Amino acid sequence: MPVLRNFLKTLTPPARERPGEWVQHPDYFVGMEALARDDAAAARDAFLRVLAERPDQLDARAALARTDEVLTRALAGTTELLRVTLEELGAAGEARALRPAVAWRVAQRLDADGEANDARAFYEVATRADGLVGLKARIRVLELDPKPNVRALSVAADLTAREPELHKRVTALLRKVAPEEPRSIELPPEDTRLEFEIRPTLDDELPAAASAPSPRIVPIRVVGMDETGLRVSSANGVNPLPFDRVLGLALGMVPTGDGRRTVLTDLVLSWPQGEKGATVLRASLGELGLEQLYADVPPKEAYWQLVREIAQRSGARWLPGAGEGVTLPRYASAEDMTRSIYGSG
Protein backbone atom coordinates (compact mmCIF):
# COMPACT_ATOMS: atom_id res chain seq x y z
CA MET A 1 0.00 0.00 0.00
CA PRO A 2 1.68 3.30 -1.13
CA VAL A 3 0.63 5.31 1.93
CA LEU A 4 2.12 2.78 4.34
CA ARG A 5 5.34 2.34 2.35
CA ASN A 6 5.90 6.08 1.98
CA PHE A 7 5.41 6.62 5.69
CA LEU A 8 7.81 3.85 6.68
CA LYS A 9 10.50 5.17 4.33
CA THR A 10 10.57 8.43 6.31
CA LEU A 11 11.84 6.51 9.33
CA THR A 12 15.66 6.24 9.33
CA PRO A 13 17.74 4.25 11.81
CA PRO A 14 20.00 6.18 14.21
CA ALA A 15 23.72 5.72 14.46
CA ARG A 16 24.78 2.31 15.73
CA GLU A 17 27.32 3.64 18.23
CA ARG A 18 26.92 5.60 21.40
CA PRO A 19 29.58 7.14 23.63
CA GLY A 20 30.66 5.41 26.78
CA GLU A 21 30.39 1.76 27.70
CA TRP A 22 26.66 1.42 26.96
CA VAL A 23 25.98 -0.86 23.98
CA GLN A 24 22.77 -0.78 21.97
CA HIS A 25 20.65 -3.92 21.99
CA PRO A 26 21.20 -5.79 18.69
CA ASP A 27 17.46 -6.26 18.13
CA TYR A 28 17.06 -2.48 18.04
CA PHE A 29 19.01 -2.38 14.78
CA VAL A 30 17.04 -5.36 13.51
CA GLY A 31 13.90 -3.35 14.09
CA MET A 32 15.16 -0.21 12.41
CA GLU A 33 16.36 -2.18 9.40
CA ALA A 34 12.94 -3.85 9.20
CA LEU A 35 11.32 -0.42 9.12
CA ALA A 36 13.61 0.57 6.25
CA ARG A 37 12.39 -2.55 4.38
CA ASP A 38 8.73 -1.52 4.93
CA ASP A 39 8.33 -4.54 7.25
CA ALA A 40 6.40 -3.02 10.17
CA ALA A 41 5.51 -6.43 11.59
CA ALA A 42 9.15 -7.52 11.93
CA ALA A 43 10.04 -4.10 13.32
CA ARG A 44 7.42 -4.29 16.05
CA ASP A 45 8.52 -7.81 17.01
CA ALA A 46 12.14 -6.67 17.27
CA PHE A 47 11.35 -3.61 19.39
CA LEU A 48 9.18 -5.69 21.68
CA ARG A 49 12.12 -8.07 22.22
CA VAL A 50 14.30 -5.10 23.17
CA LEU A 51 11.76 -3.81 25.66
CA ALA A 52 11.24 -7.26 27.16
CA GLU A 53 14.89 -7.16 28.28
CA ARG A 54 15.25 -3.40 28.68
CA PRO A 55 11.82 -1.98 29.60
CA ASP A 56 13.24 1.52 30.23
CA GLN A 57 15.03 1.91 26.89
CA LEU A 58 13.51 5.12 25.52
CA ASP A 59 14.67 4.94 21.91
CA ALA A 60 13.15 1.46 21.54
CA ARG A 61 9.90 2.77 22.98
CA ALA A 62 10.00 5.71 20.58
CA ALA A 63 10.61 3.42 17.61
CA LEU A 64 7.75 1.17 18.71
CA ALA A 65 5.53 4.22 18.94
CA ARG A 66 6.43 5.05 15.33
CA THR A 67 5.02 1.72 14.20
CA ASP A 68 1.83 2.67 16.07
CA GLU A 69 1.74 5.87 14.01
CA VAL A 70 0.95 3.73 11.00
CA LEU A 71 -2.30 2.69 12.64
CA THR A 72 -2.91 6.21 13.93
CA ARG A 73 -2.83 7.52 10.37
CA ALA A 74 -5.09 4.72 9.21
CA LEU A 75 -7.55 5.52 11.99
CA ALA A 76 -7.84 9.04 10.57
CA GLY A 77 -9.11 7.59 7.30
CA THR A 78 -11.87 5.19 6.39
CA THR A 79 -12.60 1.84 7.99
CA GLU A 80 -11.51 0.17 4.76
CA LEU A 81 -8.11 1.89 5.03
CA LEU A 82 -7.86 0.68 8.63
CA ARG A 83 -8.66 -2.90 7.59
CA VAL A 84 -6.09 -2.87 4.79
CA THR A 85 -3.46 -1.46 7.15
CA LEU A 86 -4.16 -4.13 9.76
CA GLU A 87 -3.78 -6.81 7.09
CA GLU A 88 -0.50 -5.36 5.80
CA LEU A 89 0.88 -5.18 9.32
CA GLY A 90 0.25 -8.90 9.69
CA ALA A 91 1.13 -10.15 13.18
CA ALA A 92 1.98 -6.60 14.24
CA GLY A 93 -1.58 -5.57 13.45
CA GLU A 94 -3.21 -8.28 15.53
CA ALA A 95 -5.03 -7.13 18.66
CA ARG A 96 -2.62 -8.84 21.04
CA ALA A 97 0.33 -6.93 19.49
CA LEU A 98 -1.15 -3.49 20.08
CA ARG A 99 -0.88 -1.19 23.03
CA PRO A 100 -4.18 -0.97 24.98
CA ALA A 101 -4.77 2.66 23.99
CA VAL A 102 -4.34 1.89 20.28
CA ALA A 103 -6.44 -1.27 20.56
CA TRP A 104 -9.22 0.81 22.14
CA ARG A 105 -9.29 3.21 19.18
CA VAL A 106 -9.31 0.36 16.66
CA ALA A 107 -12.10 -1.39 18.57
CA GLN A 108 -14.21 1.75 18.70
CA ARG A 109 -13.85 2.37 14.97
CA LEU A 110 -14.80 -1.20 14.04
CA ASP A 111 -17.66 -1.23 16.54
CA ALA A 112 -19.06 2.09 15.30
CA ASP A 113 -19.07 0.77 11.73
CA GLY A 114 -21.15 -2.27 12.65
CA GLU A 115 -18.29 -4.75 12.97
CA ALA A 116 -18.67 -5.51 16.67
CA ASN A 117 -17.56 -9.14 16.36
CA ASP A 118 -14.20 -8.08 14.93
CA ALA A 119 -13.92 -5.32 17.52
CA ARG A 120 -14.18 -7.69 20.47
CA ALA A 121 -10.56 -8.92 20.35
CA PHE A 122 -9.32 -5.32 20.38
CA TYR A 123 -11.62 -4.45 23.29
CA GLU A 124 -10.16 -7.37 25.23
CA VAL A 125 -6.68 -5.90 24.86
CA ALA A 126 -8.01 -2.46 25.79
CA THR A 127 -9.25 -3.82 29.15
CA ARG A 128 -5.62 -3.56 30.27
CA ALA A 129 -5.70 0.22 29.89
CA ASP A 130 -5.72 2.32 33.04
CA GLY A 131 -8.71 4.26 34.28
CA LEU A 132 -12.02 4.74 32.57
CA VAL A 133 -10.90 3.42 29.16
CA GLY A 134 -10.05 0.02 30.61
CA LEU A 135 -13.35 -0.08 32.50
CA LYS A 136 -15.36 0.86 29.41
CA ALA A 137 -13.56 -1.83 27.41
CA ARG A 138 -14.36 -4.43 30.08
CA ILE A 139 -18.07 -3.58 29.95
CA ARG A 140 -18.17 -3.67 26.14
CA VAL A 141 -16.49 -7.09 26.13
CA LEU A 142 -19.22 -8.38 28.43
CA GLU A 143 -21.91 -6.86 26.20
CA LEU A 144 -20.45 -8.56 23.13
CA ASP A 145 -20.19 -11.94 24.88
CA PRO A 146 -23.19 -14.14 23.91
CA LYS A 147 -23.05 -15.79 27.36
CA PRO A 148 -21.39 -13.41 29.83
CA ASN A 149 -20.23 -14.89 33.10
CA VAL A 150 -22.41 -13.86 36.04
CA ARG A 151 -19.44 -13.58 38.39
CA ALA A 152 -17.63 -11.32 35.90
CA LEU A 153 -20.76 -9.20 35.69
CA SER A 154 -20.94 -8.92 39.47
CA VAL A 155 -17.31 -7.80 39.63
CA ALA A 156 -18.02 -5.26 36.88
CA ALA A 157 -21.03 -4.01 38.82
CA ASP A 158 -18.80 -3.30 41.84
CA LEU A 159 -16.19 -1.56 39.69
CA THR A 160 -18.78 0.71 38.07
CA ALA A 161 -20.49 1.72 41.31
CA ARG A 162 -19.30 5.33 40.82
CA GLU A 163 -20.03 5.44 37.08
CA PRO A 164 -23.85 5.62 36.76
CA GLU A 165 -24.04 5.09 32.99
CA LEU A 166 -21.69 2.10 32.99
CA HIS A 167 -23.38 0.69 36.10
CA LYS A 168 -26.74 0.90 34.34
CA ARG A 169 -25.38 -1.13 31.41
CA VAL A 170 -23.98 -3.81 33.73
CA THR A 171 -27.25 -3.99 35.66
CA ALA A 172 -29.15 -4.47 32.41
CA LEU A 173 -26.86 -7.38 31.53
CA LEU A 174 -27.33 -8.95 34.96
CA ARG A 175 -31.09 -8.79 34.61
CA LYS A 176 -30.84 -10.40 31.20
CA VAL A 177 -28.56 -13.21 32.33
CA ALA A 178 -30.20 -13.94 35.72
CA PRO A 179 -33.97 -14.56 35.97
CA GLU A 180 -35.77 -11.49 37.26
CA GLU A 181 -38.28 -13.46 39.33
CA PRO A 182 -36.36 -16.43 40.74
CA ARG A 183 -38.52 -19.10 42.28
CA SER A 184 -35.68 -20.56 44.27
CA ILE A 185 -32.09 -20.04 45.36
CA GLU A 186 -29.79 -22.99 45.78
CA LEU A 187 -28.39 -23.97 49.15
CA PRO A 188 -24.74 -24.97 49.56
CA PRO A 189 -24.13 -28.54 48.30
CA GLU A 190 -23.56 -30.00 51.76
CA ASP A 191 -27.23 -29.40 52.56
CA THR A 192 -29.33 -32.39 51.44
CA ARG A 193 -32.15 -30.03 50.45
CA LEU A 194 -30.82 -28.62 47.18
CA GLU A 195 -32.95 -25.51 47.10
CA PHE A 196 -35.30 -23.50 49.21
CA GLU A 197 -38.51 -21.84 48.22
CA ILE A 198 -38.98 -18.11 48.49
CA ARG A 199 -42.57 -17.64 49.57
CA PRO A 200 -44.63 -15.14 51.53
CA THR A 201 -45.79 -15.91 55.04
CA LEU A 202 -49.17 -17.55 55.47
CA ASP A 203 -49.58 -16.15 58.96
CA ASP A 204 -50.16 -12.63 60.18
CA GLU A 205 -48.07 -13.15 63.30
CA LEU A 206 -44.49 -14.29 63.66
CA PRO A 207 -44.47 -17.89 64.97
CA ALA A 208 -43.23 -18.28 68.53
CA ALA A 209 -39.51 -19.10 68.57
CA ALA A 210 -39.82 -21.70 71.29
CA SER A 211 -42.11 -23.92 69.20
CA ALA A 212 -40.67 -23.32 65.74
CA PRO A 213 -38.66 -25.94 63.82
CA SER A 214 -34.95 -25.27 63.35
CA PRO A 215 -34.29 -22.66 60.68
CA ARG A 216 -32.12 -23.12 57.62
CA ILE A 217 -29.28 -20.57 57.79
CA VAL A 218 -27.58 -19.84 54.45
CA PRO A 219 -24.33 -17.79 54.57
CA ILE A 220 -24.28 -15.13 51.86
CA ARG A 221 -22.27 -12.19 50.59
CA VAL A 222 -23.90 -9.07 49.14
CA VAL A 223 -22.24 -8.27 45.80
CA GLY A 224 -24.52 -5.51 44.53
CA MET A 225 -27.76 -3.59 44.84
CA ASP A 226 -30.07 -1.66 42.55
CA GLU A 227 -33.61 -0.27 42.65
CA THR A 228 -35.20 -3.72 42.57
CA GLY A 229 -33.14 -5.65 45.07
CA LEU A 230 -29.83 -7.17 46.11
CA ARG A 231 -27.47 -9.53 44.35
CA VAL A 232 -26.25 -12.16 46.78
CA SER A 233 -23.48 -14.70 46.42
CA SER A 234 -23.56 -18.10 48.12
CA ALA A 235 -21.69 -21.37 47.65
CA ASN A 236 -23.54 -22.00 44.39
CA GLY A 237 -23.04 -18.63 42.71
CA VAL A 238 -24.75 -15.26 42.44
CA ASN A 239 -28.53 -14.77 42.55
CA PRO A 240 -30.79 -11.72 42.40
CA LEU A 241 -32.87 -11.16 45.53
CA PRO A 242 -35.80 -8.75 44.99
CA PHE A 243 -36.56 -6.56 48.00
CA ASP A 244 -40.16 -7.78 48.17
CA ARG A 245 -38.92 -11.31 48.93
CA VAL A 246 -37.47 -10.22 52.27
CA LEU A 247 -40.09 -10.82 54.96
CA GLY A 248 -38.12 -10.18 58.12
CA LEU A 249 -34.94 -8.56 59.43
CA ALA A 250 -32.90 -9.69 62.42
CA LEU A 251 -29.70 -8.10 63.69
CA GLY A 252 -27.29 -9.26 66.34
CA MET A 253 -23.81 -8.75 67.73
CA VAL A 254 -21.83 -11.89 68.53
CA PRO A 255 -18.26 -12.56 69.69
CA THR A 256 -15.57 -13.72 67.28
CA GLY A 257 -12.75 -16.14 67.93
CA ASP A 258 -10.19 -13.39 68.51
CA GLY A 259 -12.08 -11.80 71.39
CA ARG A 260 -13.74 -9.07 69.36
CA ARG A 261 -17.37 -8.82 68.19
CA THR A 262 -19.01 -8.79 64.81
CA VAL A 263 -22.48 -8.02 63.54
CA LEU A 264 -24.72 -10.60 61.89
CA THR A 265 -27.58 -9.51 59.63
CA ASP A 266 -30.39 -11.95 58.81
CA LEU A 267 -32.80 -11.65 55.88
CA VAL A 268 -35.79 -13.92 56.49
CA LEU A 269 -37.29 -15.31 53.28
CA SER A 270 -39.90 -17.62 54.77
CA TRP A 271 -41.45 -18.23 58.18
CA PRO A 272 -41.72 -21.69 59.76
CA GLN A 273 -44.50 -23.76 58.24
CA GLY A 274 -45.37 -27.27 59.31
CA GLU A 275 -42.17 -29.21 59.82
CA LYS A 276 -40.09 -26.68 57.89
CA GLY A 277 -38.22 -23.99 59.78
CA ALA A 278 -37.65 -20.42 58.65
CA THR A 279 -35.33 -19.80 55.71
CA VAL A 280 -32.70 -17.20 56.60
CA LEU A 281 -29.90 -15.59 54.60
CA ARG A 282 -27.14 -14.52 56.99
CA ALA A 283 -24.29 -12.10 56.30
CA SER A 284 -21.52 -10.96 58.62
CA LEU A 285 -20.48 -7.32 58.60
CA GLY A 286 -17.60 -7.92 56.19
CA GLU A 287 -19.87 -9.69 53.71
CA LEU A 288 -22.31 -6.81 53.18
CA GLY A 289 -20.20 -5.00 50.56
CA LEU A 290 -20.53 -1.67 52.36
CA GLU A 291 -17.33 -0.26 50.83
CA GLN A 292 -18.74 -0.78 47.33
CA LEU A 293 -22.32 0.23 48.06
CA TYR A 294 -21.49 3.33 50.13
CA ALA A 295 -17.92 4.20 49.21
CA ASP A 296 -17.70 7.58 50.92
CA VAL A 297 -19.81 6.80 53.99
CA PRO A 298 -18.32 5.81 57.39
CA PRO A 299 -18.82 2.07 58.08
CA LYS A 300 -21.29 2.40 60.96
CA GLU A 301 -23.44 4.91 59.09
CA ALA A 302 -23.23 2.80 55.93
CA TYR A 303 -24.45 -0.27 57.81
CA TRP A 304 -27.56 1.42 59.17
CA GLN A 305 -28.22 3.02 55.81
CA LEU A 306 -28.20 -0.40 54.12
CA VAL A 307 -30.36 -2.06 56.75
CA ARG A 308 -32.95 0.71 56.74
CA GLU A 309 -33.02 0.79 52.94
CA ILE A 310 -33.73 -2.95 52.82
CA ALA A 311 -36.45 -2.52 55.46
CA GLN A 312 -38.11 0.39 53.67
CA ARG A 313 -38.05 -1.16 50.22
CA SER A 314 -39.12 -4.61 51.37
CA GLY A 315 -41.60 -3.72 54.10
CA ALA A 316 -39.91 -6.46 56.12
CA ARG A 317 -40.82 -7.03 59.76
CA TRP A 318 -38.22 -6.19 62.38
CA LEU A 319 -37.71 -9.25 64.52
CA PRO A 320 -37.75 -8.82 68.30
CA GLY A 321 -34.73 -7.09 69.77
CA ALA A 322 -33.66 -5.19 66.66
CA GLY A 323 -35.44 -2.01 67.73
CA GLU A 324 -36.41 -1.15 64.12
CA GLY A 325 -32.88 -0.34 63.08
CA VAL A 326 -31.65 1.54 66.13
CA THR A 327 -30.23 -1.19 68.39
CA LEU A 328 -28.02 -4.24 68.05
CA PRO A 329 -28.94 -7.05 70.48
CA ARG A 330 -25.98 -8.96 71.92
CA TYR A 331 -25.82 -12.75 71.89
CA ALA A 332 -23.37 -15.22 73.37
CA SER A 333 -22.76 -16.78 69.93
CA ALA A 334 -24.22 -17.10 66.45
CA GLU A 335 -26.00 -20.26 67.59
CA ASP A 336 -27.45 -18.40 70.57
CA MET A 337 -28.77 -15.73 68.21
CA THR A 338 -30.39 -18.38 66.03
CA ARG A 339 -32.04 -20.11 69.00
CA SER A 340 -33.24 -16.86 70.55
CA ILE A 341 -34.85 -15.55 67.38
CA TYR A 342 -36.01 -18.64 65.49
CA GLY A 343 -36.12 -21.43 68.05
CA SER A 344 -34.33 -24.77 67.97
CA GLY A 345 -37.20 -27.14 67.17
Side-chain angles (χ1 to χ4, degrees):
M1 186 176 78
V3 174
L4 179 59
R5 293 196 185 94
N6 291 338
F7 174 72
L8 292 175
K9 287 178 180 177
T10 65
L11 305 176
T12 56
R16 289 173 177 256
E17 298 181 359
R18 295 195 176 197
E21 298 180 356
W22 187 87
V23 178
Q24 178 63 274
H25 195 292
D27 277 329
Y28 176 82
F29 300 114
V30 172
M32 297 306 293
E33 289 169 358
L35 283 177
R37 297 195 310 271
D38 294 355
D39 191 347
R44 172 176 279 277
D45 289 342
F47 295 136
L48 287 174
R49 288 196 298 273
V50 175
L51 293 173
E53 296 183 20
R54 300 178 181 178
D56 295 328
Q57 186 165 328
L58 296 181
D59 52 0
R61 286 188 175 278
L64 184 61
R66 291 176 185 174
T67 65
D68 288 338
E69 288 181 35
V70 176
L71 274 178
T72 300
R73 290 194 175 192
L75 283 164
T78 64
T79 303
E80 182 59 28
L81 174 62
L82 175 60
R83 279 196 165 281
V84 171
T85 303
L86 289 171
E87 290 176 4
E88 290 205 4
L89 286 173
E94 294 179 1
R96 60 185 177 180
L98 303 183
R99 292 185 298 110
V102 177
W104 167 252
R105 295 183 62 192
V106 173
Q108 283 198 303
R109 167 59 68 82
L110 296 175
D111 200 358
D113 286 351
E115 301 179 22
N117 288 336
D118 293 335
R120 183 177 170 186
F122 294 95
Y123 276 128
E124 288 175 347
V125 172
T127 61
R128 299 199 298 268
D130 294 331
L132 194 57
V133 168
L135 189 55
K136 287 181 176 179
R138 179 194 290 257
I139 304 309
R140 190 59 182 140
V141 167
L142 290 169
E143 289 175 334
L144 294 175
D145 190 341
K147 296 181 179 180
N149 181 273
V150 174
R151 190 174 297 279
L153 286 172
S154 296
V155 171
D158 291 340
L159 293 174
T160 57
R162 297 187 182 184
E163 300 293 337
E165 290 303 316
L166 293 179
H167 191 72
K168 186 184 299 182
R169 286 163 60 182
V170 176
T171 300
L173 282 174
L174 272 168
R175 289 177 180 171
K176 182 178 179 181
V177 172
E180 293 189 9
E181 294 295 334
R183 297 183 62 85
S184 63
I185 297 177
E186 293 182 347
L187 281 174
E190 61 270 16
D191 194 298
T192 56
R193 297 158 293 195
L194 296 181
E195 60 182 24
F196 59 78
E197 298 174 357
I198 302 177
R199 62 182 184 276
T201 179
L202 299 179
D203 304 316
D204 291 331
E205 299 298 329
L206 179 66
S211 60
S214 297
R216 286 177 284 171
I217 306 293
V218 183
I220 63 162
R221 178 169 60 91
V222 176
V223 298
M225 180 175 67
D226 58 26
E227 297 82 1
T228 63
L230 303 172
R231 290 190 307 281
V232 298
S233 173
S234 65
N236 286 336
V238 178
N239 292 274
L241 178 63
F243 285 120
D244 60 9
R245 302 292 186 176
V246 181
L247 307 178
L249 277 167
L251 318 176
M253 185 177 290
V254 300
T256 60
D258 57 5
R260 294 182 293 180
R261 289 181 174 271
T262 189
V263 176
L264 298 181
T265 303
D266 287 357
L267 307 178
V268 181
L269 302 188
S270 69
W271 306 122
Q273 186 177 36
E275 296 181 356
K276 291 184 178 180
T279 297
V280 180
L281 304 186
R282 174 170 289 175
S284 63
L285 190 61
E287 302 298 323
L288 291 174
L290 297 177
E291 292 183 358
Q292 289 74 33
L293 297 178
Y294 307 99
D296 299 321
V297 180
K300 184 176 180 180
E301 183 180 341
Y303 175 74
W304 287 115
Q305 189 170 337
L306 173 63
V307 170
R308 290 181 180 127
E309 188 164 358
I310 294 173
Q312 290 169 3
R313 295 194 180 194
S314 65
R317 181 182 304 173
W318 291 98
L319 272 65
E324 297 199 2
V326 295
T327 60
L328 282 172
R330 296 191 173 216
Y331 298 97
S333 64
E335 293 75 14
D336 180 44
M337 174 176 168
T338 300
R339 285 192 300 269
S340 299
I341 298 173
Y342 310 106
S344 57

